[in-house]
Each structure stands twice: as C-alpha cells, then as structure tokens.
C-alpha cells in the first residue's frame, strides 16, 4: 500500500522490468543499491563530481546519486552488472564487454571503486566516437575520478576497447607462465575481474538481516570547550535505537596511532572541525541522519590555529592545557657544518612549504559489525592492519579480549595510508555490542574529508653550500612538522601497545633530509607542531615526499647559478655504494641512483633538444619548459617479525596465507606467483587468502612498501618450507630415499612411483601432522633503514604566463623495483604514484574551511596527468627479497613533485614556486616576483635556459 511519502516506480533494469516502492525523495542510486541489491554503482561523493555512481539511462550516462528515483520511471536503466549482457544479449553470463576485457588486459583497474562508472561512461563515448582521440577520451572521462591508476591505463584501455570493437576481436590470450618461473610474467590479476562487472563487494555494499544504520555527530567548530549537550530530542525520534557518546566507551577512551582523533569521542574539548562526538544507531540511514541533526551541543569557542606557522607562535592557543604546541627538537648531524659552509663557493638559503594533504581514497570509511552466536564480534571494514589496529586496539576500546574480535577486510576502495583509521569500526562495534544487532556505518564524502586523518603540513628552511665544481658540501635544514591535534610525545598513554612507525616520524623524515646525495656536512632540526586539524598519518611516500620540493629545488638552483647541467650536478653528488649517510648508515645494498641518472640521460638530452623546437613554436602566452627531480625513500618499517603461511590442501592444491590486505595493488596475484615459484608448481594450483584475522592469522601491516619485499619474502620462505615438508613426507610414504625424489606437476616422483600432492595431504592428516608451514622473516633491528628505493623523473610541460595554468606533456619516470614480479602490477603502481606526485605539485591542499569535496580538495583528473608516461626500470635484483623483488608502491610519486616545480621555473626563466601546490595564482605570483628580481627573459633568451 502506498502512502504520501512513497512512489511506485516501474522501470526496466538490465533488460528486466521491475516495480519498486520508494521514498519520494529517494535517488536512483538508492533504488538500485538498497532495493535491487545492484551495488555495482558506487557512492564516492555527495555532489555529483566523481562519476562512480554512473549508470546508463536510455543509453546515456546518468549520475544516479543525484537523480531522483522517480525520474527513472518508464526508463531503461543499465548498470555494470547487466552491461555486457544487455549489449550482447543472449551471449551468456560469463562474457565480458570489450571495455571490461580491455580494462583487465591492460591492468586499468586497481581498487576498482571507480571502474563501473569509468566503463559505462567510456561505452557511451565509444558508441558516438568509435575511434576517439586521446583528447576525446580525457575530456569524456574528466568528470570521473580515480585515485589509484593515474588514468594512463584507463585511457589506453578505452582506445584498446575501441580497437577491439572495430575489429570485432577479443583480447589476446596469453600463454600460461612456465612452471616454477611465473615471477616476471603478467599472470592475470586474481582480484580485478570482480571490479569490472560489479561483483566486488565493498563494506558499504554489505547487508544483513535486521541491520541498523549509524551516523556520527561531528563538530562544526575548530576548537571549543564542550559545556553541555542534550540528546533527548534525538533519542525521541521514532526509529532511533541508541545513541552513544564519550561516557559509553567501555574500554580505553583513546584511539591510538593512525587515527583522526585522539579520543573515540572527546569529553571536554573539541580540537578540530569534523571531530566526532556522538553516534546514533537507527533503523534507516535517513532516520540516523535526522537524529544527528537533533543533537544539541553547547560549546564555548576557543581561538584556533590551523596553519603551521600560526600554531608554532609562542602566544598561539594551546590544544592541550598541559603542553606547548611545539615539541622539543629532534636533530641529526654529521661532519662539521661550519667548516662545510666555510668551504662553499655558493650558499643558497630558501624556505619551502607543503600543505596538509588528504588521502581521498574513493571508498569512504565504513564498517559493518555484528556479534556471532558464540559472542565473537566480527567487524568487516577496510583496514590495512587488521591485526594490531583491528583486534588489539578495537578490543581495547571495547573492553574485549583480542581473540574475541575478528576483523575481515572486504574489497577495499583505496588506502594510501588512511586505512589505519579505526573510528568507524570502533563505533560500529560499540553500537553492535550495545544493541545486539548488526550495525553499519558509512561516512559521507564530506565526513571523510573533514574527519579523516591527514598527511602533515611541513615548513622547511633549507640552506645549501656548494663548490664551484657542483659538489654540495653542506646542508642545514630546519623543519616544522604539523601533526594535527595530537602528537605521540605529548600523550604517551595513547600510544601504549602501539609501537609502530609514527613515533619515529621526525627521525624518519630527517633520515631523508639530504635526498639521495652524499653530503659530508649536515645539520638538520625538526619539531612537531600541534594544529587544530585531524591527526596526522602517513600518506603514500610519507617522510620522503615532503622534502624533495626543497632539496631538489636547491640542486637546480645550484646548477643554475653555476651554469651547470642539472642532471650532472645530481650525478656528482649522488649517493653511491659504500657511502655513509648523514645518519651513519653504510650504503651496501641496492644503491641505484647513479644508474637511474644514467638511464634518464638519453631521455633528458632528447627532451632538451626538443625544447628548442618547442620554444620556437610556442603559442603565446604558453611557454614550454623541462625539469628533472629525484628522491629516495626507505623501503618499509619492518619493525616486527613478519610471517606468512603456505598450506597443502586436501585436493592437492596450495594456499598462501598472509595478513596483508588486497587494495588493488596486487598481492593476491603476486603472492601466488612467489608461492608457486618457491613450490615449483603451476601458479594455477595456488590460491591466496588475505586480510582475515581468524583465517589468515599472520599479523603484518600493508603499508610503507613492505608488501612485496618483506611479506613476499615470508611467503617464499613458507612455500620453501612446505616443499621441504612434501619431499620429506613423500619419502616416508614411499619408503624411498629423499635424495632420489623429483618434483612432478602433480606430486613427487621416485622413478616410476608417484606420490601425489593429495596423497601427501591425506598422510599428514592421518598422522595428525600440520599441512601448513610458516615463513618467518626477522629484519627487526636492522637499523636505521633496511633498504632504500630511488626515483628520478623528467617533466616536459607548458606554462600559461597569463593564467598561471600548467599543462603536463611528457613524463619519464625511473625507479628500481628489483626483480619485477608482475609487470602490469608494477606499471599500475608507477602510474598511480605519478598522479599523487602531480596532485601534490599542482592541485592538492586540505583546509577545513574549503568545500569538503573531492574537487574542492583537488585530486587530479584526466586533464591534469601528463599526456605521455614513459616508465623506466633499473632492474637490479635485491638479493634478500623474494626472487630479487623489492617494492615500488610509493617511490614513483616522489620525482614528479620537484620535476614539475623545476620545469615551471625552467619554462618561465626562473619563476620558482616554493609553496606547493603550484596553483595558477602561485605560479603567477612567482612569475611576478621573478619579474621584480630578474626580468622575464625574451623568447630568444629562454631558448638558452637552463644551459
Ligand atoms: S557522482 Fe555520484 S557518487 Fe559521485
Ligand atoms: S581503481 Fe579507480 S579509484 Fe581505485
């Protein structure tokens, strides 16, 4: 029976007629996701700017999050789930559309959250333009946002799909990887297929019988004392089941590392806009939202400091009554800084700044919690470190035993460092505990942007001393590091039991302060500064990507002043095998910066030669430029023992188990390759289980580039041990000397006699022996950093001297991944890293008073990334890694930042942006400032720069 609040809507969805009764103000997205359980269309923003929710309506792309459901009445709607079928009716369920095939074949999907929208929008383009130009594709997809891929492969996949469609062809099938040698092959990604057809289930897609919905009340002010609050109106709203606040936390009230706020719910004081204070559980999301609006909180506003320089002032308002906002100094030094500068022929001292940045994973934070009959609390949530953050810290908050909490990581829509945040799982768990019902909490995009943890802002003063021949002999650096509203040294109680990386953030940053250069005299000081913002956490490349803007600008300035080739100055100073760094580390493994410089040289020379032509043909007011930039980063914080498991299954196949989580970066596939090669079996026989604290109980975080190199090594060790166990067992079963055994495809042979893998499994079971082996890696204590990765890049760009706009043309990126396990996966990480670098250099900055939207924050679009990307690798096997592999997730994003800034300077005859991002206003200001000091060179003069 319909009432005044509901409509009956008849429409066709994926070729089938449906009739749905909906709230009058429901959207088409709600109709599809809530009523029809078609969850392929995603909600990633609140305002129509991301394209993740796109469906086809009468053949046209429609943003279903904005479209009233009533507008779909009588229409023909196609979602990603029915896309292939409706386009090729009658072919069958397993057939993919060429676009889906092309996305898989070229590795154009990573976490997959944006992919349904990308594919459906591209389908419309290809229908109207079967052979689109690159411009056509970038324009058509410019309103579809992706945070993982850097768009390069998506654009390529659209072209490839167009080609397949024109030729009426299918993608090429690749030969299976050779047995025991799958590392290095593009073994098909195990995770991706579900991302192109809508089958991947993210936390917000999950539903349970009787499930409640939760919403958070969040602060609207930056800094305030909480005077009183009134929940009575909210509690009285029909449909509200419970409301919890600071007095309802049964365990520790603190959230430890990697969390946006210091307390689960603050009791006395608000320290940033967006801080969560209360949570409502209700029978629907709408009722929960209405209840949140009825909560009344009376506060006394206090002065606040958002900018780092404001917060660091002696008279700035304190965030905590018992401490200053500025920490004691952390310092490193080597050599004799005075002597170093006394020797220098040239001294350059400048200031640089990096803003607060947002991870902006396309899937907003979410959690679903419920109690099992045996009392175990199950929490499904995208967490990158399910074991420590999940079982330990959530159990602490909820006053439970660690083993009574099980964390399962469903499909994860991007991480980049933000998925250590347990606010959503703690709150969902608390509400499930209190109500005895399943509870789901999903953040809106505005909540996600305002209330999630952030990468710190950094202000740097950098002084460089160089000799006439280009040798840098001294650097002195001062750093302010904005931590948001919490710093570990201030509130040690909150860090109990959480000895992870972030206490070391200043030493870690200082260990990167020279860049990949060997400099004999160094002095660097750093200070944490509390600000009124969400707490800081790492963001892809953390500790290593704040400083290149400073040290690489300085290197270019040295080269410019000395009239030297910038790449040559880098080579003169590059760190080499055997050098001892400013923190006393002897560089004995995998030191590849010089090799990267040599690899880039021919590309740089060719770009330099092109620059003359580009300048000669430039269209005013656009001026072309060229820049290089480099950097380094330690690989991982392997501050604990890392383990993985390898198991022989009863059917004679194999299972690899690890605590790592899949976020589209590829461990499900790469661990299968590593495990298969260690076992010397076909990769098809190996499956992988990740991200479940009950089933794959091998604690390890998925951060800081350790997955391939360290967890992958543990996988290799576990598989080696399992192979050993199988030989041993087969010898016992057959009674033949083990030394006569030979590994076969389906078992172990002794002459004509074969003991199959499943017979080995049966024997182990029958004798009460484990079929699982563990690999334990213990690099803990290898100080200060086990290993570094290096990154170097060049950018060709154009700058509009009237608007300040920058257009990136060509980018060459060189990194050193060791042995490449899966080439497509590495390419995807390189491209994704580049787009982060581009965003940091040109568009991204968080401020709590800016619109809390993806575009307001500034994540790059297809229009922002370079027209072409060339990926170069120095493939130098890292002996201690799995089959020589290292990791590459974070390094490629470093070099684009300084390369872009140096190229802008090159294009404009020396206008240098020192506060990133280099927004059009800042570029124009730099041009103006440069005009005051040095006249803007003529076109002819520009042709000689920077030689
Ligand atoms: S455009 Fe609809 S969810 Fe972003
Ligand atoms: S693949 Fe596009 S957001 Fe992750």
């Amino acid at each position: 029976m319909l009432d005044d609040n509901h409509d009956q809507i008849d429409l066709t969805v994926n070729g089938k007629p449906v009739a749905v009764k909906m709230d009058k103000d429901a959207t088409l997205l709600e109709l599809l996701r809530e009523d029809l359980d078609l969850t392929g269309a995603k909600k990633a923003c609140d305002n129509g700017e991301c394209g993740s929710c796109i469906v086809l309506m009468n053949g046209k792309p429609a943003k279903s999050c904005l479209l009233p459901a009533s507008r779909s009445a009588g229409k023909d709607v196609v979602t990603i789930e029915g896309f292939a079928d409706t386009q090729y009716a009658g072919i069958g369920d397993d057939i993919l559309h060429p676009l889906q095939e092309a996305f898989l074949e070229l590795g154009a999907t990573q976490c997959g959250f944006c992919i349904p929208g990308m594919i459906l929008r591209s389908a419309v383009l290809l229908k109207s333009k079967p052979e689109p130009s690159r411009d056509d594709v970038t324009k058509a997809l410019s309103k579809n946002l992706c945070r993982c891929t850097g768009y390069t492969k998506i654009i390529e996949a659209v072209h490839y799909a167009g080609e397949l469609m024109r030729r009426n062809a299918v993608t090429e099938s690749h030969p299976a990887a050779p047995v025991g040698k799958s590392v290095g092959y593009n073994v098909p990604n195990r995770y991706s297929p579900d991302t192109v057809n809508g089958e991947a289930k993210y936390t917000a897609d999950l539903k349970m019988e009787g499930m409640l919905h939760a919403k958070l009340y969040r602060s609207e002010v930056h800094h305030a004392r909480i005077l009183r609050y009134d929940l009575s109106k909210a509690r009285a709203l029909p449909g509200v089941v419970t409301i919890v606040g600071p007095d309802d936390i049964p365990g520790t009230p603190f959230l430890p590392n990697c969390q946006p706020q210091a307390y689960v719910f603050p009791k006395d004081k608000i320290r940033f806009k967006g801080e969560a204070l209360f949570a409502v559980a209700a029978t629907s999301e709408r009722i929960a939202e209405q209840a949140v609006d009825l909560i009344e909180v009376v506060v006394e506003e206090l002065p606040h400091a958002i900018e780092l320089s404001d917060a660091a002032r002696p008279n700035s308002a304190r965030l905590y009554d018992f401490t200053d906002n500025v920490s004691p100094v952390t310092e490193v030094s080597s050599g004799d800084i005075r002597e170093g500068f006394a020797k220098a022929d040239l001294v350059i001292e400048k200031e640089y700044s990096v803003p607060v940045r947002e991870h902006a994973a396309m899937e907003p934070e979410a959690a679903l919690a419920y109690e099992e009959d045996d009392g175990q609390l199950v929490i499904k949530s995208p967490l990158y470190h399910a074991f420590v953050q999940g079982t330990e810290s959530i159990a602490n908050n909820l006053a439970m035993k660690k083993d009574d909490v099980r964390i399962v990581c469903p499909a994860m829509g991007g991480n980049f460092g933000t998925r250590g945040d347990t606010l959503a799982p703690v709150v969902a768990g608390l509400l499930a505990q209190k109500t005895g019902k399943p509870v789901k909490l999903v953040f809106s995009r505005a909540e996600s942007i305002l209330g999630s943890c952030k990468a710190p802002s950094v202000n740097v003063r950098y002084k460089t001393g160089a000799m006439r021949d280009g040798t840098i002999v001294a650097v002195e650096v001062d750093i302010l590091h904005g931590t948001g509203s919490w710093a570990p040294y201030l509130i040690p109680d909150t860090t109990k039991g959480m000895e992870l990386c972030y206490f070391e953030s200043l030493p870690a940053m200082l260990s990167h302060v020279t860049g990949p250069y060997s400099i004999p005299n160094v002095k660097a000081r750093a200070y944490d500064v509390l600000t009124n913002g969400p707490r800081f956490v790492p963001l892809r490349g953390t500790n290593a990507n704040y400083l290149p803007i400073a040290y690489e600008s300085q290197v270019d300035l040295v080269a410019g002043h000395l009239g030297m080739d910038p790449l040559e100055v880098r080579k003169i100073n590059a760190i080499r095998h055997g050098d001892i760094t400013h923190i006393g580390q002897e560089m004995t493994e995998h030191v590849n910066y010089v090799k990267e410089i040599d690899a880039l040289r021919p590309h740089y020379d060719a770009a330099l030669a092109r620059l003359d032509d580009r300048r000669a043909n430039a269209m005013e007011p656009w001026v072309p430029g060229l820049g290089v930039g480099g950097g380094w980063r330690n690989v991982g914080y392997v501050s604990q023992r890392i383990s993985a498991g390898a198991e022989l299954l009863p059917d004679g196949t194999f299972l690899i188990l690890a605590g790592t989580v899949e976020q589209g970066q590829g461990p499900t596939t790469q661990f299968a390759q590593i495990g298969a090669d260690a076992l010397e079996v076909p990769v098809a026989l190996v499956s992988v289980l990740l991200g479940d604290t009950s089933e794959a109980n091998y604690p390890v975080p998925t951060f800081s580039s350790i997955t391939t190199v360290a967890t992958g090594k543990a996988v290799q060790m576990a598989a080696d041990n399992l192979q050993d166990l199988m030989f041993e067992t087969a010898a016992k079963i057959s009674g033949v000397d083990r030394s006569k055994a030979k590994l076969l495809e389906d078992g172990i042979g002794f002459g004509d006699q074969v003991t199959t893998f499943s017979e080995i499994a049966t024997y182990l079971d029958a004798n009460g022996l484990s079929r699982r082996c563990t690999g334990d890696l213990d690099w803990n204590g290898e100080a200060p950093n086990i290993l570094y990765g290096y990154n170097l890049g060049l950018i060709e760009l154009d700058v509009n001297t009237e608007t300040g706009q920058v257009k990136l043309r060509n980018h060459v990126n060189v990194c050193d991944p060791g042995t490449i396990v899966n080439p497509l996966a590495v390419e995807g990480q390189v491209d994704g890293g580049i787009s982060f670098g581009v965003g940091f250099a040109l568009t991204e900055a968080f401020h709590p008073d800016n619109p809390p939207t993806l575009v307001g924050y500034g994540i790059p679009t297809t229009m922002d990334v370079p027209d072409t990307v060339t990926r170069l690798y120095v493939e130098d096997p890292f002996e201690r890694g799995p089959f020589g592999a290292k990791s590459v997730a974070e390094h490629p994003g470093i070099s684009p930042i300084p390369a872009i800034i140096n190229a802008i300077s090159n294009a404009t005859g020396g206008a240098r942006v020192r506060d990133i991002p280099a927004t059009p206003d800042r570029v124009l200001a730099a041009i103006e400032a440069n005009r005051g000091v040095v006249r803007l060179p003529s076109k002819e003069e520009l042709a000689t720069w920077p030689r």
Side-chain angles (χ1 to χ4, degrees):
M1 178 82 98
L2 288 180
D3 54 39
D4 286 351
N5 298 324
H6 291 86
D7 280 334
Q8 157 100 22
I9 301 167
D10 297 290
L11 70 164
T12 304
V13 178
N14 296 331
K16 295 189 186 113
V18 294
V20 187
K21 192 179 86 169
M22 290 298 297
D23 270 8
K24 276 194 185 303
D25 51 358
T27 61
L28 176 58
L29 185 64
E30 288 171 302
L31 182 157
L32 295 167
R33 290 178 57 86
E34 305 308 325
D35 281 69
L36 302 180
D37 208 19
L38 292 167
T39 55
K42 305 294 181 206
K43 187 166 189 237
C45 74
D46 308 317
N47 56 352
E49 64 184 23
C50 77
S52 298
C53 63
I54 281 179
V55 297
L56 302 182
M57 196 159 84
N58 286 358
K60 298 209 169 104
K63 288 179 177 166
S64 61
C65 70
L66 295 182
L67 201 74
S70 54
R71 295 258 302 274
S72 66
K75 302 277 175 28
D76 184 12
V77 171
V78 173
T79 71
I80 194 70
E81 289 92 339
F83 173 55
D85 266 0
T86 51
Q87 305 292 305
Y88 296 102
I91 287 184
D93 281 350
D94 293 339
I95 298 296
L96 294 176
H97 185 279
L99 268 163
Q100 294 167 312
E101 297 268 16
F103 271 60
L104 290 179
E105 169 85 12
L106 298 194
T109 164
Q110 290 188 31
C111 84
F113 208 75
C114 69
I115 296 300
M118 289 281 183
I119 287 177
L120 293 176
R121 170 90 75 179
S122 304
V124 176
L125 170 71
L126 290 180
K127 202 155 202 174
S128 63
K129 278 203 172 170
E131 204 166 348
S133 66
R134 187 182 193 280
D135 251 21
D136 293 331
V137 180
T138 52
K139 276 190 194 129
L141 295 181
S142 63
K143 301 258 177 347
N144 283 60
L145 301 177
C146 173
R147 191 55 159 163
C148 303
T149 63
Y151 303 107
T152 302
K153 283 175 176 290
I154 289 179
I155 295 165
E156 286 169 9
V158 176
H159 285 293
Y160 181 43
E163 191 191 318
L164 292 174
M165 290 163 80
R166 291 194 303 279
R167 289 197 286 120
N168 203 14
V170 292
T171 50
E172 290 169 29
S173 58
H174 297 288
V179 177
K181 300 235 176 303
S182 70
V183 166
Y185 269 71
N186 274 329
V187 169
N189 190 302
R190 306 272 178 101
Y191 170 79
S192 298
D194 285 353
T195 67
V196 299
N197 60 14
E199 280 183 18
K201 291 287 180 199
Y202 303 80
T203 303
D205 302 335
L206 306 176
K207 283 180 196 158
M208 290 182 75
E209 189 68 34
M211 184 175 83
L212 300 176
H213 297 263
K215 277 284 159 196
L216 291 166
Y217 175 94
R218 292 177 181 274
S219 157
E220 289 174 4
V221 297
H222 299 292
H223 196 193
R225 215 170 293 287
I226 301 169
L227 301 180
R228 61 185 176 278
Y229 56 85
D230 183 355
L231 308 178
S232 57
K233 287 188 195 136
R235 283 196 206 282
L237 188 71
V240 170
V241 178
T242 192
I243 301 179
V244 291
D247 296 327
D248 300 301
I249 313 299
T252 173
F254 300 118
L255 290 168
N257 274 323
C258 309
Q259 316 289 323
Q261 46 195 76
Y263 299 89
V264 178
F265 297 126
K267 203 173 180 132
D268 305 317
K269 210 176 178 199
I270 291 161
R271 292 186 177 82
F272 67 91
K273 184 174 169 182
E275 190 166 12
L277 304 182
F278 299 95
V280 176
T283 49
S284 77
E285 200 168 3
R286 263 157 215 269
I287 294 173
E289 277 165 1
Q290 287 162 9
V292 162
D293 289 343
L294 293 173
I295 291 175
E296 291 171 3
V297 181
V298 180
V299 299
E300 175 200 351
E301 274 200 66
L302 299 168
H304 60 268
I306 291 165
E307 302 299 339
L308 192 44
S309 46
D310 292 341
R313 289 206 181 98
N315 57 354
S316 184
R318 287 179 169 191
L319 272 82
Y320 295 89
D321 298 337
F322 51 84
T323 179
D324 280 344
N325 289 346
V326 181
S327 75
V329 68
T330 302
E331 195 168 339
V332 295
S333 62
S334 67
D336 184 326
I337 196 71
R338 274 177 192 231
E339 215 174 86
F341 280 113
K343 242 200 248 174
D345 298 311
L346 170 70
V347 175
I348 297 171
E349 184 172 357
K350 301 279 178 201
E351 291 184 7
Y352 302 87
S353 76
V354 177
V356 175
R357 286 162 301 158
E358 154 70 16
H359 304 73
M362 291 301 284
E363 179 198 13
E365 293 78 353
L368 167 65
Y370 58 94
E371 286 181 333
E372 294 280 22
D373 293 343
D374 63 1
Q376 188 180 47
L377 182 69
V378 180
I379 301 180
K380 298 190 174 177
S381 185
L383 287 175
Y384 70 54
H385 193 338
F387 295 91
V388 173
Q389 281 139 354
T391 52
E392 279 182 37
S393 81
I394 295 174
N396 281 346
N397 292 137
L398 300 181
M400 295 180 74
K401 287 200 206 105
K402 184 177 141 204
D403 289 346
D404 291 340
V405 179
R406 175 184 177 193
I407 305 294
V408 181
C409 181
M412 184 190 283
N415 173 9
F416 322 117
T418 192
R419 301 299 189 187
D421 178 351
T422 61
L423 183 62
V426 167
V427 171
L430 178 62
L431 292 169
Q433 222 180 20
K434 190 141 190 236
T435 62
K437 294 184 179 231
V439 178
K440 184 162 79 173
L441 171 61
V442 181
F443 291 1
S444 67
R445 177 55 59 185
E447 283 185 282
S448 179
I449 290 186
L450 282 174
S452 65
C453 23
K454 298 282 173 283
S457 51
V458 174
N459 288 2
V460 190
R461 184 182 304 124
Y462 211 101
K463 183 173 166 188
T464 307
M467 311 273 282
R468 219 172 289 280
D469 65 359
T471 309
I472 298 174
V473 287
V475 296
E476 187 170 8
V477 189
D478 285 291
I479 299 170
L480 295 182
H481 174 261
T483 66
S485 62
W486 175 85
Y489 67 90
L490 291 171
I491 319 166
D493 279 357
T494 65
T495 63
K496 221 169 154 193
M498 293 294 298
E499 288 80 13
L500 279 172
C501 57
Y502 312 113
F503 316 132
E504 303 301 328
S505 61
L506 293 187
M509 187 161 50
L510 290 175
S511 73
H512 290 85
V513 78
T514 57
Y517 304 107
S518 216
I519 296 166
N521 305 293
V522 177
K523 192 170 191 62
R525 295 166 287 256
Y527 306 81
D528 274 334
V529 181
L530 290 164
T531 60
N532 289 107
R535 281 158 53 171
F536 85 102
V537 291
L539 193 165
R540 195 173 195 165
T542 203
N543 295 323
N545 59 15
Y546 316 132
L547 300 176
I549 166 71
Y551 62 68
E552 286 295 89
S553 294
Q554 296 284 106
V555 170
D556 254 34
L557 286 168
V558 167
H561 277 86
L562 297 176
M564 292 180 71
D565 173 319
L567 210 49
E568 187 55 28
V569 173
R570 285 174 173 82
K571 187 162 178 177
I572 290 168
N573 293 290
I575 200 153
R576 288 167 164 82
H577 187 94
D579 285 353
I580 294 178
T581 70
H582 64 292
I583 56 168
Q585 179 163 10
E586 190 177 354
M587 302 297 282
T588 54
E589 286 187 287
H590 219 260
V591 189
N592 286 320
Y593 196 50
V594 171
K595 288 184 197 160
E596 291 190 356
I597 293 170
D598 290 344
L600 189 67
R601 170 57 74 185
H603 296 264
Y604 180 72
D605 289 345
L608 208 50
R610 265 196 307 274
L611 192 57
D612 290 338
D613 280 349
R614 291 174 62 218
R615 282 179 172 155
N617 297 316
M619 302 276 286
E620 301 264 3
W622 289 92
V623 292
L626 161 67
V628 292
W632 65 340
R633 186 182 193 276
N634 60 329
V635 174
Y637 297 91
V638 191
S639 56
Q640 62 186 91
R641 192 185 184 93
I642 290 180
S643 305
E647 185 171 319
L648 173 61
L649 299 177
D651 65 357
T653 63
F654 304 90
L655 178 67
I656 298 296
L657 305 103
T660 301
V661 295
E662 174 69 80
Q663 56 209 27
Q665 83 283 36
T668 315
T669 314
Q670 297 185 51
F671 288 175
Q673 292 177 256
I674 292 167
D677 285 10
L679 286 161
E680 299 176 89
V681 300
V683 71
L685 292 186
V686 182
S687 51
V688 175
L689 177 64
L690 306 174
D692 183 328
T693 58
S694 286
E695 300 293 324
N697 195 4
Y698 296 96
V700 66
T702 309
F703 67 6
S704 209
S705 297
I706 65 170
T707 293
T708 304
V709 68
T711 315
K713 185 69 187 175
V715 166
Q716 183 187 11
M717 293 162 79
D720 281 342
N721 292 338
L722 180 58
Q723 193 198 54
D724 197 48
L725 173 71
M726 292 194 306
F727 271 103
E728 199 74 26
T729 310
K732 268 189 211 150
I733 295 171
S734 60
V736 181
D737 184 347
R738 179 190 159 149
S739 63
K740 303 206 165 43
K742 193 163 173 244
L743 190 77
L744 305 173
E745 279 215 3
D746 58 347
I748 293 178
F750 298 89
D752 292 343
Q753 188 185 337
V754 178
T755 308
T756 65
F757 295 138
S758 60
E759 284 167 350
I760 295 171
T762 305
Y763 177 90
L764 290 169
D765 284 345
N767 288 278
L769 300 168
S770 175
R771 285 182 276 106
R772 187 184 292 188
C773 292
T774 301
D776 289 316
L777 182 73
D778 198 352
W779 285 343
N780 195 11
E782 286 196 29
N785 292 317
I786 289 165
L787 180 68
Y788 291 83
Y790 302 84
N791 184 228
L792 182 68
L794 79 79
I795 287 274
E796 292 174 273
L797 52 63
D798 295 322
V799 178
N800 185 317
T801 52
E802 284 176 4
T803 65
Q805 199 188 344
V806 173
K807 183 69 197 120
L808 304 182
R809 299 300 177 194
N810 306 310
H811 175 48
V812 183
N813 193 295
V814 200
C815 58
D816 60 336
T819 301
I820 291 175
V821 177
N822 188 304
L824 268 189
V826 170
E827 287 169 15
Q829 292 304 301
V830 172
D831 294 355
I834 291 169
S835 75
F836 268 76
V838 168
F840 293 174
L842 292 177
T843 57
E844 296 183 31
F846 168 80
H847 191 287
D849 291 334
N850 287 348
T853 66
L854 292 166
V855 170
Y857 167 64
I859 79 168
T861 71
T862 51
M863 308 295 276
D864 297 315
V865 295
D867 292 343
T868 72
V869 168
T870 304
R871 313 169 192 98
L872 302 180
Y873 305 117
V874 170
E875 251 199 274
D876 177 20
F878 171 54
E879 275 178 22
R880 292 197 285 161
F883 299 101
K886 214 165 88 171
S887 294
V888 76
E890 302 182 87
H891 302 86
I894 298 173
S895 70
I897 307 169
I900 289 169
I901 299 304
N902 286 337
I904 292 171
S905 174
N906 171 263
T908 55
R912 186 158 286 282
V913 177
R914 296 202 303 272
D915 302 307
I916 55 172
T919 55
D921 283 356
R922 284 177 171 168
V923 172
L924 286 182
I927 290 173
E928 194 51 42
N930 194 45
R931 219 189 290 274
V933 182
V934 183
R935 177 177 55 83
L936 193 64
S938 67
K939 218 171 186 181
E940 292 69 35
E941 288 168 320
L942 272 174
T944 64
W945 184 270
R947 285 179 245 179

